[in-house]
Amino acid sequence: MSSSLKPLKSVAHNVCHQFASTLNYWAGDYGINHFARSVVAAGNDVTVDLLTGTSIPVLAGEGAAGVGQLAAALPSLLVKEGFDPNLLASATATYRVRGALPKPGGNVAYDCRVEFTTAGGRAYTVELSELNAP
């Protein structure tokens, strides 16, 4: 039986927006701003392996915490959309920060590309450009 990749669209959007919510606030700033500072310090872009909870390049501090949050959130996001997490062979999210870093509580522009590959070799990619606007 072939599984539809349609639920992956919603999951990919949720991964890209994971830190952008105004509800994701800790240590005096929004999650996306903490993550963006770590990404810029590492060279402006990072690829997160959502299955292993690792990133290239490796992020420090709040960025490392963000990588862990993304990986931890993926299984529940998949299940919520009716997609069996065991069907994924790979899952990555690449973030690229555009423009200046925000002051605490400010906005950061970023691009996000999420790529999923199923155990059967089917691929699904979503690319989004976002301006975090709390």
Side-chain angles (χ1 to χ4, degrees):
M1 173 158 68
S2 176
S3 178
S4 170
L5 297 184
K6 186 175 180 180
L8 294 180
K9 179 178 182 181
S10 178
V11 173
H13 281 262
N14 284 332
V15 167
C16 288
H17 294 295
Q18 184 71 19
F19 299 115
S21 168
T22 57
L23 300 176
N24 197 338
Y25 191 88
W26 76 85
D29 205 355
Y30 295 105
I32 188 64
N33 293 345
H34 289 298
F35 191 69
R37 286 183 191 94
S38 292
V39 170
V40 168
N44 266 33
D45 61 287
V46 64
T47 298
V48 176
D49 184 321
L50 299 167
L51 299 182
T52 65
T54 60
S55 68
I56 298 174
V58 174
L59 298 182
E62 299 291 347
V67 168
Q69 281 185 20
L70 283 170
L74 182 65
S76 62
L77 292 172
L78 290 165
V79 169
K80 179 182 170 190
E81 293 298 326
F83 195 89
D84 181 354
N86 296 315
L87 294 177
L88 286 183
S90 69
T92 61
T94 301
Y95 289 85
R96 173 168 288 137
V97 176
R98 294 183 280 115
L101 283 174
K103 294 178 183 174
N107 301 324
V108 63
Y110 64 97
D111 299 318
C112 179
R113 177 184 174 100
V114 176
E115 299 178 74
F116 296 119
T117 304
T118 66
R122 295 171 67 199
Y124 188 82
T125 302
V126 168
E127 294 188 41
L128 296 172
S129 291
E130 296 298 325
L131 175 63
N132 184 30

